[in-house]
Amino acid sequence: MRISSTLFFQTGLNSINAQQSDLMHLYQQVGSGRRMVTPADDPLSAAQAINIRQSQSLNVRFGENRGVLKQNLGIEENTLFSVTTLLQDIKTRLIEAGNGTMSDADRATLGNVLSSARTNLLGLANATDGSGQYLFSGARGDIPPFQDDNGSIEYKGDQFQRLIQADQTRRIAGSDVGTDVFNRAAPGTTGYISGADIGNGGTVVVSRPAITDAHGSGVGHTYNIEFTSESEYTVSVTDADDNPIYSYDRTDYVPGSTETLNLEGGVQVAISGTPVGGDKFVVEPISASPFTAVPQTTMAGAIIGTPRVSDSALVNENSIFGIQFDGAGQYSVYRMNPNDPTNITAGTLVPPPAPYVPGDLNTITLPDGMSLQMTGAVTAMDTVIVKPTPATANTNLNIFDTLDRIIASLENPIQGDAINSAAFQNTLASAIQRIDVNYNNVLTVRASVGARMNEIDAIDANGSLRGLGYSSLLSKMEDLDYYSATAQLQLRTSALEAAALAFRKIQGTSLFNMGSN
């Protein structure tokens, strides 16, 4: 085989170029500190690195979101701390207002103090976060949540919380809705508050109600008490949606005395003083029951309780049931059609019919983990509908309305006027009860804020560990092993020198030189 001089030269040149190329690649690796200068160096690792970098970028973004959450919740916590301190002071002032030795001028001064506290509270309710968004206006962060509407402070925000993505699977509220802070009781709160009609003409003072039987059939209903004379009164019972349930008359009140009225169904309230015909009082639940039972026919002899949830895991908040009596000691339960919730014939029968004893306290078992207590006489075709309570049915606990009423009452002279004095005592008692409920709710919201901040810290710790894991994986895939690279650099340098030396040897080879040798 003949080998031309051109082939000799080309082979040597190719060898030198290959060694130079390998050496240049090593120089690029050492200079950049990266094992993969181009994706062609390791296509599989390059593809995996892209996915890991995307996850790492998301993790960084979630960390920034958590930073925003911490800032917003920190501002809310500080605001709620100020609200708590202010409410404690208001409660102290209300206790002072009950001092019978205070003059009208003293009460007017106290009214000015409460008026100033109300202004401060309104400012806190309209507080903003670090970016100028109102804390308690829901998703409408650009408008003040509480505004004066014809002399009354009304909520103008919406009911949507601002949720921020704190992790791949977790969204956390960065603020709370104003009505959930200043206008309601803490979820799950049981109990009653009392109130007197502003137009009462007697001297009756009503005290704080109490629940005597937590499982009583009436717990959850509203009791409206109206005196028809000094000793006679009517109790009208309504559900959370103000639908009439039943009523009864009593004639046993002794004017001028202090008596405890045992209201049917497990609730009692003490009253004292002398009423006049037309005086009205209300004993209403702090929180509405999630379901109400409404008679669809006149059931004068029956006492209908509040629907109970016996198994919360089974409850469907949109469930509607119909109960129909046959007048012969049995009843049937129907699952109602939501599009026609009062038409019993459009419902689906839930077999089988069950017995009903008018003289006993009957527990009617309903589907979806619910039950209803009833007693008293029923007739054929009497019907009761059990349905969800509307969201608007809760007792009005607007803290600004409460303060407005007590401030106006403090400014009204009462010395030497028994009727005005009784009206003031009723307004004061109602205000103390309501402010207590608001205060407990603010504490509950603060606890919720604290729990969210703790959760963010836990997610932050997990995010930091995840970030370290991503960095470690990327380092293994991309970072250069300098010990190996240095050895390879030496090896390639030696190989290049050897290739150059060989080329010089080949370059000096010819037939004349070979012949002379």
Side-chain angles (χ1 to χ4, degrees):
M1 176 181 177
R2 291 185 176 183
I3 300 175
S4 66
S5 296
T6 302
L7 182 59
F8 267 119
F9 280 94
Q10 189 63 46
T11 301
L13 186 60
N14 288 343
S15 178
I16 292 174
N17 288 338
Q19 296 302 329
Q20 284 180 329
S21 176
D22 290 343
L23 191 59
M24 180 61 68
H25 187 265
L26 282 170
Y27 282 144
Q28 288 176 326
Q29 286 182 321
V30 172
S32 65
R34 302 246 177 214
R35 183 175 67 87
M36 294 184 295
V37 178
T38 65
D41 294 337
D42 190 343
L44 179 59
S45 295
Q48 291 176 335
I50 290 174
N51 292 332
I52 293 173
R53 284 192 181 281
Q54 288 177 339
S55 298
Q56 188 180 50
S57 178
L58 283 175
N59 190 52
V60 172
R61 177 69 263 180
F62 291 142
E64 293 171 353
N65 288 354
R66 291 192 292 272
V68 174
L69 274 170
K70 284 182 179 180
Q71 177 182 342
N72 289 352
L73 291 176
I75 294 174
E76 181 177 356
E77 161 61 21
N78 292 335
T79 302
L80 292 178
F81 175 78
S82 299
V83 171
T84 302
T85 303
L86 185 58
L87 288 179
Q88 289 172 341
D89 183 64
I90 290 174
K91 291 173 66 175
T92 301
R93 300 303 179 189
L94 291 178
I95 298 300
E96 290 179 9
N99 188 341
T101 62
M102 295 184 72
S103 65
D104 288 340
D106 293 334
R107 275 185 289 273
T109 301
L110 190 56
N112 291 332
V113 173
L114 288 179
S115 180
S116 177
R118 173 190 178 278
T119 301
N120 292 338
L121 184 62
L122 181 60
L124 292 172
N126 287 333
T128 59
D129 62 18
S131 59
Q133 297 286 301
Y134 288 96
L135 281 176
F136 303 114
S137 60
R140 303 183 65 184
D142 58 331
I143 65 170
F146 292 93
Q147 301 178 27
D148 192 305
D149 188 356
N150 295 324
S152 176
I153 302 298
E154 300 293 339
Y155 180 70
K156 299 298 183 181
D158 58 28
Q159 299 299 316
F160 298 100
Q161 284 187 311
R162 295 174 222 165
L163 300 177
I164 298 178
Q165 197 79 33
D167 201 3
Q168 292 179 352
T169 59
R170 185 70 175 99
R171 301 174 73 194
I172 298 177
S175 62
D176 287 278
V177 177
T179 52
D180 292 345
V181 180
F182 300 98
N183 289 16
R184 73 163 192 188
T189 302
T190 58
Y192 275 80
I193 56 177
S194 61
D197 189 82
I198 194 171
N200 286 354
T203 61
V204 169
V205 176
V206 61
S207 66
R208 186 190 297 265
I211 297 176
T212 57
D213 181 3
H215 301 287
S217 61
V219 175
H221 288 331
T222 298
Y223 297 87
N224 298 281
I225 305 169
E226 182 174 2
F227 281 87
T228 55
S229 69
E230 289 187 346
S231 59
E232 300 175 336
Y233 59 92
T234 298
V235 179
S236 301
V237 183
T238 60
D239 65 15
D241 200 20
D242 207 29
N243 298 300
I245 304 297
Y246 63 93
S247 63
Y248 56 90
D249 298 323
R250 293 280 176 83
T251 60
D252 54 357
Y253 180 71
V254 178
S257 65
T258 299
E259 292 193 19
T260 298
L261 306 184
N262 290 306
L263 307 173
E264 293 181 357
V267 181
Q268 68 179 20
V269 62
I271 63 173
S272 61
T274 301
V276 298
D279 280 1
K280 299 176 182 178
F281 304 90
V282 62
V283 177
E284 54 188 337
I286 294 174
S287 297
S289 170
F291 288 85
T292 57
V294 184
Q296 300 298 294
T297 55
T298 301
M299 302 175 65
I303 297 178
I304 305 171
T306 302
R308 303 293 180 194
V309 175
S310 53
D311 189 347
S312 58
L314 299 177
V315 171
N316 181 348
E317 61 182 12
N318 297 316
S319 293
I320 303 175
F321 302 106
I323 306 169
Q324 191 170 70
F325 299 87
D326 62 5
Q330 285 192 323
Y331 66 87
S332 298
V333 177
Y334 295 82
R335 187 183 292 275
M336 304 300 291
N337 183 350
N339 297 321
D340 194 5
T342 60
N343 184 4
I344 199 77
T345 60
T348 303
L349 180 64
V350 181
Y356 178 84
V357 182
D360 294 344
L361 182 60
N362 300 269
T363 299
I364 299 175
T365 302
L366 302 172
D368 299 348
M370 295 176 58
S371 62
L372 177 68
Q373 290 185 335
M374 278 188 62
T375 187
V378 295
T379 59
M381 304 307 289
D382 276 352
T383 303
V384 176
I385 299 296
V386 176
K387 61 180 182 178
T389 302
T392 56
N394 280 306
T395 300
N396 178 22
L397 293 171
N398 186 323
I399 192 170
F400 299 104
D401 288 348
T402 301
L403 291 174
D404 287 341
R405 285 192 293 268
I406 188 61
I407 291 170
S409 186
L410 285 167
E411 293 172 350
N412 188 31
I414 64 172
Q415 282 184 324
D417 190 328
I419 295 176
N420 282 345
S421 179
F424 169 73
Q425 292 297 328
N426 284 324
T427 303
L428 178 62
S430 178
I432 292 174
Q433 295 171 47
R434 290 171 180 271
I435 293 296
D436 280 344
V437 174
N438 292 127
Y439 177 75
N440 291 334
N441 182 58
V442 171
L443 293 180
T444 301
V445 176
R446 283 188 66 191
S448 171
V449 171
R452 278 174 273 171
M453 294 179 75
N454 289 338
E455 182 181 3
I456 292 169
D457 289 339
I459 296 176
D460 247 348
N462 187 42
S464 297
L465 291 176
R466 189 182 293 118
L468 288 174
Y470 292 144
S471 297
S472 177
L473 287 173
L474 286 173
S475 178
K476 290 178 181 179
M477 292 180 181
E478 297 181 338
D479 289 352
L480 181 68
D481 182 353
Y482 280 97
Y483 293 104
S484 175
T486 302
Q488 287 292 323
L489 188 61
Q490 287 292 109
L491 178 62
R492 293 301 176 189
T493 301
S494 299
L496 178 60
E497 290 174 353
L501 181 61
F503 182 74
R504 284 198 299 271
K505 289 287 185 180
I506 293 172
Q507 187 180 22
T509 301
S510 71
L511 290 175
F512 298 104
N513 293 336
M514 292 175 65
S516 63
N517 291 334

